[in-house]
């Protein structure tokens, strides 16, 4: 009886120590996270952090950051991971969420990589509690699927889905990017300075009627000739005529070739410039003979181009009966 009493007295401190081991482990790593988040792990500290029993959640990133490994996604994701870990550490200083973040680099965790037979990096694992009201029956970690572009927001949402429903979730806070702000302000000031200095030279160009007339005319010719039709339908540039030659114009109003669009635009352009010359340039000529010659030349150009345009229209619509010589 006395020996049983002594044995019970001896085992009581051990039981108390065992009961306190999990809370003490969380507090130890939580204190480290407050000073440096995410926690920098080694093989031994990884085993301690993820070992059972475990009454807290933990997310561990297994990565390979050294240049000799050539892991580009590891380098790109590391800043996002650090933003998430630091946001959680600052937002949950008391450890009420019982959530920890750790990073195990290959150079410090070769044994863990070999034990888990990992051939690629990064690997993100989420360990749920094994004891307590939020414990999961399966102690195995949940692995994140690195598809697409992993961001701190995506990882935060993924982790939040696996946390207990009553666990607090600190907001994700990105640090202020002062470099981008300075660069943006500098660029804006540079543009304002350039605009102020160059405005006297730019203003006459911007207010030029000839410039905007030319731009408008080009836009009208471009779109009335079927440019958008080509982009929407992805039409061929030219096609064979079935006799070993090339067909430049497609029959019917629902078909069109790329070269056909360019030819029609050129005809519209020649007709436009001819009409503009007859309306604006010819009346300003002081020599009557030169004026008559210009009227004859531009009139023949209008007639020839319009005749050619009607011949193209007859190709598109075989039943069209009208034409103008010579085409």
């Amino acid at each position: 009886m006395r020996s049983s009493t002594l044995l019970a007295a001896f085992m009581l401190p051990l039981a108390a120590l065992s009961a306190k081991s999990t809370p003490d482990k969380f507090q130890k790593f939580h204190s480290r996270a407050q000073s440096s988040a995410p926690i920098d792990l080694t093989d031994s500290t990884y085993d301690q952090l993820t070992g059972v029993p475990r009454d807290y959640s933990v997310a561990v990133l297994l990565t390979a950051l050294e240049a000799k490994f050539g892991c580009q996604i590891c380098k790109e994701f590391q800043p996002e991971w650090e933003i998430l870990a630091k946001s959680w550490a600052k937002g949950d200083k008391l450890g009420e969420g019982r959530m920890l973040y750790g990073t195990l680099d290959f150079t410090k965790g070769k044994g863990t990589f070999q034990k888990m037979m990992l051939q690629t990096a990064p690997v993100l694992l989420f360990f749920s509690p094994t004891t307590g009201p939020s414990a999961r029956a399966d102690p195995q970690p949940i692995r994140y699927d690195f598809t697409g572009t992993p961001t701190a927001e995506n990882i935060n949402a993924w982790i939040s889905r696996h946390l207990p429903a009553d666990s607090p979730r600190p907001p994700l806070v990105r640090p202020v990017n002062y470099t981008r702000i300075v660069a943006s302000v500098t660029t804006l000031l540079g543009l304002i300075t350039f605009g102020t200095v160059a405005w006297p030279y730019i203003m006459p160009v911007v207010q030029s009627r000839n410039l905007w007339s030319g731009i408008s005319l080009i836009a009208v010719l471009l779109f009335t000739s079927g440019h958008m039709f080509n982009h929407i339908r992805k039409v061929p540039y030219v096609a064979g005529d079935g006799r070993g030659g090339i067909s430049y114009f497609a029959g019917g109003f629902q078909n069109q070739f790329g070269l056909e669009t360019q030819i029609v635009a050129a005809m519209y352009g020649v007709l436009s410039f001819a009409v503009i010359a007859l309306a604006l340039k010819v009346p300003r000529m002081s020599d009557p003979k030169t004026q008559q010659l210009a009227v004859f030349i531009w009139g023949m150009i209008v007639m020839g181009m319009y005749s050619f345009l009607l011949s193209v229209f007859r190709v598109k619509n075989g039943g069209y009966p009208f034409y103008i010589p010579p085409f």
Side-chain angles (χ1 to χ4, degrees), residues 30-319:
H30 178 68
S31 299
R32 289 182 57 182
Q34 291 302 305
S35 59
S36 177
I39 304 169
D40 192 16
L41 301 174
T42 62
D43 280 333
S44 59
T45 53
Y46 172 85
D47 292 336
Q48 295 175 23
L49 181 64
T50 61
V52 294
R54 186 178 59 245
D55 66 345
Y56 55 86
S57 304
V58 57
V60 179
L61 176 67
L62 295 95
T63 186
L65 295 175
E66 287 196 5
K68 63 181 179 181
F69 300 121
C71 182
Q72 185 64 28
I73 189 175
C74 296
K75 297 179 181 179
E76 293 175 353
F77 178 63
Q78 188 63 27
E80 298 292 313
W81 176 247
E82 292 178 356
I83 289 173
L84 176 58
K86 287 180 170 59
S87 296
W88 194 283
K90 292 180 180 179
D92 187 27
K93 295 183 178 181
L94 300 179
E96 297 176 352
R98 302 195 71 77
M99 176 68 197
L100 296 171
Y101 290 83
T103 301
L104 179 63
D105 192 86
F106 179 77
T107 55
K108 299 180 180 179
K110 294 180 180 179
T112 302
F113 275 78
Q114 294 172 358
K115 181 173 61 178
M116 300 178 67
M117 294 183 292
L118 297 177
Q119 301 295 326
T120 59
V123 174
L124 179 58
L125 302 176
F126 178 82
F127 296 84
S128 298
T130 59
T131 61
S134 303
R136 291 179 65 248
D138 185 8
Q140 295 300 318
I142 304 170
R143 183 167 176 171
Y144 177 77
D145 184 13
F146 278 92
T147 56
T149 304
T151 62
E153 287 78 9
N154 295 339
I155 304 300
N156 187 37
W158 177 75
I159 291 175
S160 297
R161 288 197 300 268
H162 297 291
L163 288 174
D166 58 346
S167 177
R169 292 162 172 78
L172 179 66
V173 180
R174 287 188 173 273
V176 179
N177 192 339
Y178 293 102
T179 302
R180 178 176 295 180
I181 294 175
V182 172
S184 300
V185 172
T186 304
T187 303
L188 180 61
L189 293 176
L191 291 174
I192 293 174
T193 303
F194 173 79
T196 303
V197 174
W199 186 250
Y201 306 97
I202 297 176
M203 177 61 77
V205 178
V206 173
Q207 294 179 338
S208 173
R209 293 168 52 185
N210 294 333
L211 173 65
W212 290 109
S213 299
I215 294 175
S216 301
L217 183 59
I218 291 172
V220 169
L221 294 176
L222 187 65
F223 291 108
T224 56
S225 62
H227 177 75
M228 293 304 299
F229 184 95
N230 294 347
H231 278 272
I232 294 172
R233 298 291 184 89
K234 306 296 182 184
V235 300
Y237 190 67
V238 293
D241 60 359
R243 299 187 298 272
I246 297 176
S247 179
Y248 299 100
F249 301 99
F253 294 114
Q254 297 300 319
N255 302 307
Q256 186 172 275
F257 297 145
L259 182 58
E260 175 184 340
T261 301
Q262 298 175 5
I263 295 174
V264 172
M267 288 191 292
Y268 285 164
V270 173
L271 285 171
S272 300
F273 285 116
V275 172
I276 292 172
L278 285 171
L280 299 179
K281 299 296 182 182
V282 173
R284 298 176 183 176
M285 294 180 178
S286 57
D287 188 1
K289 293 184 178 180
T290 305
Q291 190 179 56
Q292 289 179 352
L293 180 62
V295 169
F296 177 77
I297 293 175
W298 286 115
M300 293 301 296
I301 291 175
V302 170
M303 181 177 176
M305 281 293 103
Y306 194 66
S307 174
F308 184 42
L309 183 62
L310 286 180
S311 68
V312 172
F313 187 75
R314 286 200 306 273
V315 174
K316 305 294 290 184
N317 183 10

